[in-house]
Amino acid sequence: MTATEAAERVLRENWVEGEREGTFYAYTRPSPSRYPWQWYWDSCFAAIVWRRFESRRPRLELETLLAAQEPDGFIGHTVFWDRPVSLSRLPFYNVTSPRAHQTGTIQPPLLAWAWRIAVGDPRAEPRIAAQADWLAANRDLDGDGLLWIVQPDESGLDASPKFDPVWGRRSCARIGFPLLVHRNRRLNFDARRIRERGGPVLCETLVNTLWSLSLQALGRPSATPALVERLWDERRGLFLDEAQPGGTRPAIVTWASLAPLALPDLPEGIGRRLVEEHLLAEGEFLTPVAPPSVSAAEPSYEPGGSRGPLRRYWRGPTWVNSAWLVWLGLRRLGYEEEAARLAGGLIGAVEREGLREYYDPRTGTGLGAHDFAWSALVTELADPQ
Ligand code: GLC
């Protein structure tokens, strides 16, 4: 089976349709056994690939996210369409009540950008602008156009080691995480209240990269200049998050430091430094298959997946969405050979191992959940349009 055939098979098998209290829903489950609900950014990635196989499904998928929207514009990180979150998962899920229809937290806001790629002009759908307005009103804590997150999992990069110095024992998949969820639940996941109570809150690179892409898709002023101004570290040649209170800038190098490569308006000199000093550096992000989620130079690098009984995501293996986002930058900047090499590594891994949640960047061995939908993004690399 080619990578594209495998992608189409998984998208079709993971598709689900139904009705909740009179509301029709249709979306791609990230992985039917492990992730049955609708995850915000997973749906955006799935819609992008669906456009290759079905003309109606990208719109249905993203309209289902919009169907979960609250009257104030908010859309959650996970939407529980068919049944509420199970009791065993409750301590780890960011819901304000056990019967909540969705979480009170966000995920990287790429809806407008995904809509532009997969459906059409997002300005024709006012609910997309309403979500952007909610984000600007509730998460742009400093008024410079950048968004702040209240928990590591709002970045989509749950247990990334870059969050260890920020949240410590209350990071995802650490013993204190339920305490963080519990505290934030009491504060209604309100970023301003959380900051007032001592935070931490984080101005995170990936979230703001995808936010900037969405703003541009909506024809609004780009957030890229503010991202460069606030998070670009000229000395290291990397983007580094900022935590408040305190203004610390943890210097743990993960692929998110390179994510702004996906921005068409990233200054070219910055893009070239990200590529030449990091993405293509042996011992950092240049591995036989595709860039790892954490620099190989970090002591926390665990390319074979996390050790121990807890699943600690984003601590070394390669995810297909992250590889695709940096690959967009390689192509834009004219690194054709390097882009082809990256694509070849991932396509080979998918052909051998199927659509897995993540892959060992040294060998391509498939890891994590099976039949993982957003790994279908490999078709973007196999067949660029
Ligand atoms: C994990 C990932 C997150 C993703 C979710 C569903 O929690 O870290 O990014 O959205 O799984 O696939």
Side-chain angles (χ1 to χ4, degrees), residues 69-273:
Q69 187 169 43
E70 310 276 347
D72 64 358
F74 172 81
I75 304 175
H77 163 302
T78 312
V79 188
F80 310 105
W81 283 110
D82 60 340
R83 56 180 187 277
V85 63
S86 48
L87 278 180
S88 61
R89 295 200 199 193
L90 204 55
F92 313 97
Y93 271 63
N94 310 322
V95 289
T96 45
S97 91
R99 285 169 317 282
H101 285 330
Q102 61 181 330
T103 62
T105 46
I106 59 165
Q107 246 189 344
L110 70 156
L111 175 57
W113 183 56
W115 189 282
R116 163 91 51 203
I117 297 171
V119 181
D121 187 345
R123 285 172 297 191
E125 172 47 83
R127 292 176 294 174
I128 298 178
Q131 193 215 4
D133 292 342
W134 185 91
L135 290 163
N138 291 279
R139 295 306 188 90
D140 175 4
L141 297 182
D142 262 0
D144 63 352
L146 300 180
L147 306 182
W148 294 71
I149 59 174
V150 301
Q151 294 191 185
D153 45 337
E154 289 202 305
S155 69
L157 310 176
D158 304 13
S160 170
K162 74 176 184 157
F163 301 129
D164 295 350
V166 180
W167 277 280
R169 285 154 60 87
R170 297 192 302 166
S171 298
C172 283
R174 298 286 304 270
I175 186 97
F177 183 66
L179 295 175
L180 177 69
V181 174
H182 180 71
R183 197 277 312 253
N184 287 348
R185 188 179 279 155
R186 274 193 293 115
L187 299 173
N188 217 14
F189 302 99
D190 178 323
R192 289 201 173 80
R193 290 176 68 196
I194 291 170
R195 184 177 59 176
E196 278 158 24
R197 298 295 172 89
V201 291
L202 189 71
C203 188
E204 197 275 335
T205 307
L206 173 63
V207 165
N208 282 294
T209 297
L210 295 169
W211 172 233
S212 187
L213 287 168
S214 279
L215 289 172
Q216 294 175 59
L218 283 166
R220 297 188 182 187
S222 167
T224 304
L227 183 71
V228 170
E229 169 71 25
R230 185 153 206 151
L231 302 185
W232 170 245
D233 183 316
E234 174 67 25
R235 192 174 64 77
R236 293 194 177 84
L238 286 168
F239 286 86
L240 295 176
D241 305 339
E242 180 188 321
Q244 288 290 349
T248 42
R249 310 272 310 273
I252 293 176
V253 183
T254 74
W255 83 275
S257 284
L258 315 180
L261 278 170
L263 292 164
D265 60 341
L266 186 71
E268 184 177 332
I270 290 183
R272 293 200 181 280
R273 285 194 65 189

Side-chain angles (χ1 to χ4, degrees), residues 30 35 39 41-42 107 156-158 313-314 319 357 372 374:
Y35 308 111
W39 267 261
W41 81 325
D42 298 65
Q107 246 189 344
L157 310 176
D158 304 13
Y313 299 121
W314 301 99
W319 269 254
E357 189 175 7
F372 188 68
W374 88 41

Side-chain angles (χ1 to χ4, degrees), residues 345-369:
L346 267 187
I347 293 163
V350 170
E351 282 174 354
R352 285 192 308 276
E353 308 278 320
L355 268 70
R356 298 294 299 270
E357 189 175 7
Y358 41 90
Y359 299 85
D360 188 318
R362 302 162 299 183
T363 59
T365 302
L367 301 165

